[in-house]
Amino acid sequence: MKASLIKIIFHRNIVLNNPLKRNALSLSMISSLREDILRDIESTDLRVIIISGEGPVFSSGHDLKELAFEKGEKHHREVFETCSEVMTLLPKLPVPVIAKVNGLATAAGCQLVASCDIAVASEESRFSTPGVNVGLFCSTPGVALGRSLPRKVAMEMLLTGEPMTAREALLHGLISRVVPEDKLEDETLRIARRICESSRPVVALGKATFYKQMEQDVSTAYRTASRVMVENLALQDGQEGIKAFVSKRKPAWSHS
Amino acid sequence: MKASLIKIIFHRNIVLNNPLKRNALSLSMISSLREDILRDIESTDLRVIIISGEGPVFSSGHDLKELAFEKGEKHHREVFETCSEVMTLLPKLPVPVIAKVNGLATAAGCQLVASCDIAVASEESRFSTPGVNVGLFCSTPGVALGRSLPRKVAMEMLLTGEPMTAREALLHGLISRVVPEDKLEDETLRIARRICESSRPVVALGKATFYKQMEQDVSTAYRTASRVMVENLALQDGQEGIKAFVSKRKPAWSHS
Amino acid sequence: MKASLIKIIFHRNIVLNNPLKRNALSLSMISSLREDILRDIESTDLRVIIISGEGPVFSSGHDLKELAFEKGEKHHREVFETCSEVMTLLPKLPVPVIAKVNGLATAAGCQLVASCDIAVASEESRFSTPGVNVGLFCSTPGVALGRSLPRKVAMEMLLTGEPMTAREALLHGLISRVVPEDKLEDETLRIARRICESSRPVVALGKATFYKQMEQDVSTAYRTASRVMVENLALQDGQEGIKAFVSKRKPAWSHS
């Protein structure tokens, strides 16, 4: 029945689920994350992805033991390239990705948070890039941090490895929302639900355009975005949305 | 008389004045805004422009009814191109533009705030980009938001359409100052007056250089700005300013 | 004795020391700053540089009297080019540079703070770019401010010349830490000590990579940073760090 479907949330929960290893992003964990993200990504029933971690650590980043024992440049290259691939994939997905953080997010785990579209964290969460302390500077996390935080704040994190509180992370722009721990689930679902109320192709076009124009100079960015506004209006759901608005009724999205 | 002129504020007030339509940026409103902005723009008596809105809404953005009924890609293109033209014009003007916001600024109205050089808002003001909710993602506003706010904060606004308070807008950099409503007029005029106390060609050169170098890499930016400092010193008002400073007297600007 | 060496802090204190002239960045002061910065810069005993100012003013920026009396475009060009050279040098140094600010930092003095990697300030510190008030717009400081602060906040500072408090500077990202005046020395040294506990070549590689990738688009940035992670692991101290981590012992850096 259509009516009951409206209340369903079309989101996918991806849970980093190796708490004994602090959800370390081993090569197998990263590969499985990539798989989970891409599965049925074109399905119109999928509208938003939520990434969270099981246990007190969201993710501790790369698996240093793996990097130590699986020797050889070839393996190391594979780890960092696969990880970078997943991080750059997130903004390219047709659905928004929300990081739901409850606990510690360090190194590539912190990078994963910074690479999502939206990040909601509990007040007790902490963020750090402590690679420098163990002789492996967080250079790949720095790509995401440097584009989320003021430079001096990012550099202090990267050079000292010291943790930042959730409040500080919000203040500086690393995350977009902080709530008490007991509200984290509700608040994340509320945002997910809001997104699910919108048209999937409209969201997909908007998200893709945002990241595209951000890499252009302002004039080119406006040319890109103006063209997209016209395209958006010509979409079936663009037409439906504006008609519904004018008629003061709820829009009935086709999502296609 | 010269002496009395010194106390006059050389500012232009542009008031978006269609409160019944929530100051929607219809094609005619945008065209008239462009005209108001450009009128006598080279006059040395004009030193600063203040944009405000009549009524409880600063501006609600594009006129969706117009977009719905004035069908045809050609019309839509004209609307978005004219709007983008006005937004990109603001940083190119030789005088600073201050947004004075008292109330709600949504979609292209929020973009207008983000596109000014300075933005002062009352505490009760709210900012949002709710296009996604009616099937028309705020892609052109995203150009301005993405260059004013941390990415995750901008994306959350664009993907959910939810409003941000004036305090949050200040925290994240969308606006530069928040005051109680009863101080809004005074504070805006105080800033305008400060700007009017400076030399018009010095302000014009400085503003143009700021936006130019921001689109360059750091080394090129420094070459551009260093050259401009030398040019600035060679200006009549550059010479006058430094002489006045050294002689501990008030400078007498030529403004030309 | 090795054991006692561990407690030594390998930092260089550079003190701007002309309080009677408010630590103005005269050509001779800038040249001496460049010399102090570059001295023995490749020594493995140097791990971090701290720049502070003697007296109540960190630095008041360019020496306007010098600019007024030492006439001629050639001299002016030399001043701004030398200053820009020092500012662009700071991110290129192999060791982190911390600004320790206690008091007023204006114009090129504010630019110097913005150009360091980390900036710690006392609560009473103030930041401004008042050049516009004396007819010399702070265009070169604008290069550093525009890359540290939200644009509207930077523009308001540059267009009005009004001061910003240390708390506001932290809120907006100009500095990375604020402490009460009586904690400034301790907090700065604590951060310096943290950095000295890490491997010098790892820090150098990480710092250089951060600024390099920040000028690239995201995909190129990730390619650059991934390659560097592999290189970092192959460094002697990269190997030592990861082995120490796995063996749960303190790393013994070679720093070479």
Side-chain angles (χ1 to χ4, degrees):
Chain A
M1 251 178 56
K2 195 93 193 266
S4 73
L5 270 180
I6 292 169
K7 295 198 185 281
I8 292 176
I9 297 168
F10 297 90
H11 72 261
R12 170 176 302 159
N13 269 316
I14 299 179
V15 183
L16 304 174
N17 194 3
N18 193 355
L20 285 180
K21 294 204 80 175
R22 309 172 85 228
N23 297 325
L25 297 173
S26 64
L27 187 53
S28 80
M29 176 74 104
I30 301 170
S31 305
S32 130
L33 178 58
R34 178 174 54 185
E35 211 174 288
D36 285 346
I37 284 169
L38 289 177
R39 186 163 31 87
D40 293 327
I41 191 69
E42 297 303 340
S43 159
T44 57
D45 284 350
L46 178 67
R47 308 281 170 74
V48 62
I49 291 174
I50 299 172
I51 301 180
S52 60
E54 185 67 31
V57 177
F58 174 80
S59 170
S60 59
H62 290 293
D63 184 343
L64 292 182
K65 281 190 188 164
E66 186 186 60
L67 289 175
F69 297 121
E70 293 276 350
K71 287 189 178 117
E73 214 186 284
K74 190 163 162 273
H75 173 79
H76 296 162
R77 215 163 31 223
E78 193 182 353
V79 169
F80 296 115
E81 284 175 3
T82 311
C83 185
S84 293
E85 191 198 324
V86 171
M87 300 297 172
T88 48
L89 197 59
L90 298 171
K92 287 179 191 153
L93 297 178
V95 299
V97 184
I98 305 176
K100 174 182 145 193
V101 185
N102 189 16
L104 193 63
T106 73
C110 184
Q111 177 187 6
L112 178 56
V113 175
S115 302
C116 291
D117 301 305
I118 292 175
V120 190
S122 65
E123 280 166 355
E124 296 72 24
S125 297
R126 293 289 177 279
F127 303 86
S128 70
T129 47
V132 69
N133 303 330
V134 297
L136 183 59
F137 200 95
C138 285
S139 287
T140 37
V143 175
L145 289 186
R147 284 157 181 79
S148 299
L149 294 168
R151 292 194 182 197
K152 236 169 302 311
V153 175
M155 272 312 260
E156 193 184 305
M157 277 184 85
L158 291 163
L159 288 168
T160 65
E162 294 190 346
M164 174 181 272
T165 66
R167 285 271 151 220
E168 289 170 322
L170 177 69
L171 172 77
H172 295 304
L174 178 58
I175 59 178
S176 51
R177 205 162 281 262
V178 175
V179 290
E181 188 179 348
D182 62 1
K183 298 264 190 288
L184 181 61
E185 177 76 10
D186 282 3
E187 183 67 7
T188 309
L189 285 181
R190 196 187 60 75
I191 293 173
R193 212 172 283 129
R194 283 288 282 180
I195 293 170
C196 293
E197 282 165 13
S198 291
S199 157
R200 184 187 144 105
V202 168
V203 167
L205 181 62
K207 174 175 163 174
T209 305
F210 180 78
Y211 290 112
K212 184 178 177 186
Q213 58 85 2
M214 283 301 288
E215 304 241 336
Q216 301 174 330
D217 66 87
V218 181
S219 308
T220 312
Y222 267 120
R223 269 197 301 278
T224 300
S226 291
R227 221 177 302 131
V228 164
M229 293 298 279
V230 175
E231 276 174 45
N232 187 154
L233 267 173
L235 287 178
Q236 188 176 336
D237 283 352
Q239 290 289 308
E240 165 60 12
I242 212 160
K243 276 182 215 150
F245 176 82
V246 170
S247 326
K248 294 179 183 172
R249 62 168 172 80
K250 264 191 89 133
W253 306 125
S254 71
H255 292 297
S256 61
Chain B
M1 251 178 57
K2 196 97 195 263
S4 72
L5 271 180
I6 293 170
K7 295 197 184 280
I8 292 176
I9 297 167
F10 297 90
H11 73 262
R12 170 176 301 160
N13 270 314
I14 298 179
V15 183
L16 304 173
N17 194 4
N18 193 355
L20 286 179
K21 295 205 81 176
R22 309 172 85 229
N23 297 326
L25 296 173
S26 63
L27 188 52
S28 79
M29 176 75 103
I30 301 170
S31 306
S32 129
L33 179 57
R34 178 175 52 185
E35 211 173 287
D36 285 344
I37 284 169
L38 289 177
R39 186 163 31 87
D40 292 328
I41 191 69
E42 298 302 341
S43 158
T44 56
D45 283 351
L46 178 67
R47 308 280 168 75
V48 62
I49 291 173
I50 298 172
I51 301 179
S52 61
E54 185 65 32
V57 177
F58 173 80
S59 169
S60 59
H62 288 293
D63 184 343
L64 292 181
K65 283 192 187 162
E66 186 186 59
L67 289 174
F69 296 122
E70 292 275 350
K71 288 189 175 117
E73 215 186 285
K74 189 162 163 275
H75 173 78
H76 295 160
R77 214 163 32 222
E78 193 182 354
V79 168
F80 296 115
E81 284 175 2
T82 311
C83 185
S84 293
E85 191 198 324
V86 171
M87 301 295 173
T88 49
L89 197 59
L90 297 172
K92 287 178 191 153
L93 296 178
V95 299
V97 184
I98 305 176
K100 175 182 144 193
V101 185
N102 188 17
L104 193 63
T106 74
C110 184
Q111 177 187 5
L112 179 55
V113 175
S115 303
C116 291
D117 301 305
I118 292 176
V120 190
S122 66
E123 279 166 355
E124 297 71 22
S125 295
R126 294 288 178 278
F127 303 86
S128 70
T129 47
V132 68
N133 302 329
V134 298
L136 182 60
F137 199 95
C138 285
S139 287
T140 36
V143 175
L145 289 186
R147 284 158 181 80
S148 299
L149 294 168
R151 290 193 185 198
K152 237 169 301 313
V153 175
M155 272 313 259
E156 193 184 305
M157 277 184 85
L158 291 163
L159 288 167
T160 65
E162 294 189 347
M164 174 180 273
T165 65
R167 285 271 152 220
E168 288 169 323
L170 177 68
L171 172 76
H172 295 304
L174 178 58
I175 60 178
S176 49
R177 204 162 282 259
V178 175
V179 290
E181 189 179 347
D182 62 2
K183 297 264 191 288
L184 181 61
E185 177 75 9
D186 281 1
E187 182 67 6
T188 309
L189 286 181
R190 196 186 60 75
I191 293 172
R193 212 171 283 129
R194 282 290 280 181
I195 293 170
C196 293
E197 282 166 10
S198 291
S199 157
R200 184 187 144 108
V202 167
V203 167
L205 180 62
K207 174 175 164 175
T209 305
F210 180 78
Y211 291 112
K212 183 178 177 186
Q213 58 84 1
M214 284 301 289
E215 305 241 336
Q216 302 175 331
D217 66 85
V218 181
S219 307
T220 312
Y222 268 120
R223 269 197 301 277
T224 300
S226 291
R227 220 177 303 132
V228 164
M229 294 297 278
V230 175
E231 276 173 45
N232 187 152
L233 266 174
L235 286 179
Q236 187 176 338
D237 282 352
Q239 291 288 309
E240 164 61 14
I242 213 161
K243 275 181 216 154
F245 175 81
V246 170
S247 328
K248 295 181 182 169
R249 61 166 173 83
K250 264 191 90 130
W253 306 125
S254 70
H255 291 297
S256 61
Chain C
M1 248 177 62
K2 197 97 193 263
S4 72
L5 271 180
I6 293 169
K7 295 194 184 283
I8 292 176
I9 297 167
F10 297 91
H11 72 262
R12 170 177 302 161
N13 269 316
I14 299 180
V15 184
L16 304 173
N17 194 2
N18 193 355
L20 285 180
K21 294 204 82 177
R22 309 171 85 229
N23 297 325
L25 297 173
S26 63
L27 187 52
S28 80
M29 176 77 103
I30 302 170
S31 305
S32 129
L33 178 57
R34 177 175 55 186
E35 210 174 290
D36 284 345
I37 285 169
L38 289 177
R39 187 164 29 88
D40 292 327
I41 191 69
E42 298 302 340
S43 158
T44 56
D45 283 350
L46 178 66
R47 307 281 169 73
V48 61
I49 291 173
I50 299 173
I51 301 179
S52 61
E54 184 66 32
V57 177
F58 174 79
S59 169
S60 58
H62 289 293
D63 183 341
L64 292 182
K65 283 192 187 163
E66 185 185 60
L67 289 174
F69 296 122
E70 293 275 349
K71 285 184 180 124
E73 217 188 281
K74 189 163 163 273
H75 173 78
H76 296 161
R77 214 163 33 223
E78 192 182 354
V79 168
F80 296 116
E81 284 175 3
T82 310
C83 185
S84 294
E85 191 198 323
V86 171
M87 300 295 173
T88 49
L89 196 60
L90 298 172
K92 287 179 192 153
L93 297 179
V95 299
V97 183
I98 306 176
K100 174 181 145 196
V101 185
N102 188 17
L104 192 63
T106 74
C110 185
Q111 176 188 6
L112 178 56
V113 175
S115 302
C116 291
D117 301 305
I118 293 176
V120 190
S122 65
E123 280 167 354
E124 297 70 24
S125 296
R126 295 288 177 277
F127 303 86
S128 71
T129 47
V132 69
N133 302 329
V134 296
L136 182 60
F137 200 95
C138 285
S139 286
T140 36
V143 174
L145 289 186
R147 284 156 179 82
S148 298
L149 294 168
R151 290 193 185 200
K152 237 170 302 312
V153 175
M155 272 312 259
E156 194 185 303
M157 275 183 87
L158 291 164
L159 288 168
T160 66
E162 293 190 346
M164 174 180 273
T165 65
R167 284 272 151 218
E168 289 170 322
L170 177 68
L171 172 78
H172 296 303
L174 178 58
I175 59 178
S176 51
R177 203 161 282 261
V178 175
V179 290
E181 189 179 345
D182 61 1
K183 298 265 191 287
L184 181 62
E185 177 75 10
D186 281 2
E187 183 66 7
T188 309
L189 286 182
R190 197 187 60 74
I191 293 172
R193 213 171 281 128
R194 283 289 280 181
I195 292 170
C196 293
E197 281 166 12
S198 291
S199 157
R200 184 187 144 106
V202 167
V203 166
L205 180 62
K207 174 175 164 176
T209 305
F210 181 78
Y211 291 112
K212 184 178 178 184
Q213 58 85 3
M214 283 300 289
E215 305 241 337
Q216 301 175 330
D217 65 86
V218 181
S219 308
T220 312
Y222 267 120
R223 268 197 303 277
T224 299
S226 291
R227 219 176 305 133
V228 164
M229 293 298 278
V230 175
E231 276 173 45
N232 187 154
L233 267 172
L235 288 179
Q236 186 176 337
D237 282 351
Q239 291 288 310
E240 164 62 13
I242 213 160
K243 276 182 215 152
F245 176 82
V246 170
S247 327
K248 295 178 184 173
R249 61 167 172 83
K250 263 191 90 131
W253 307 125
S254 72
H255 292 297
S256 60

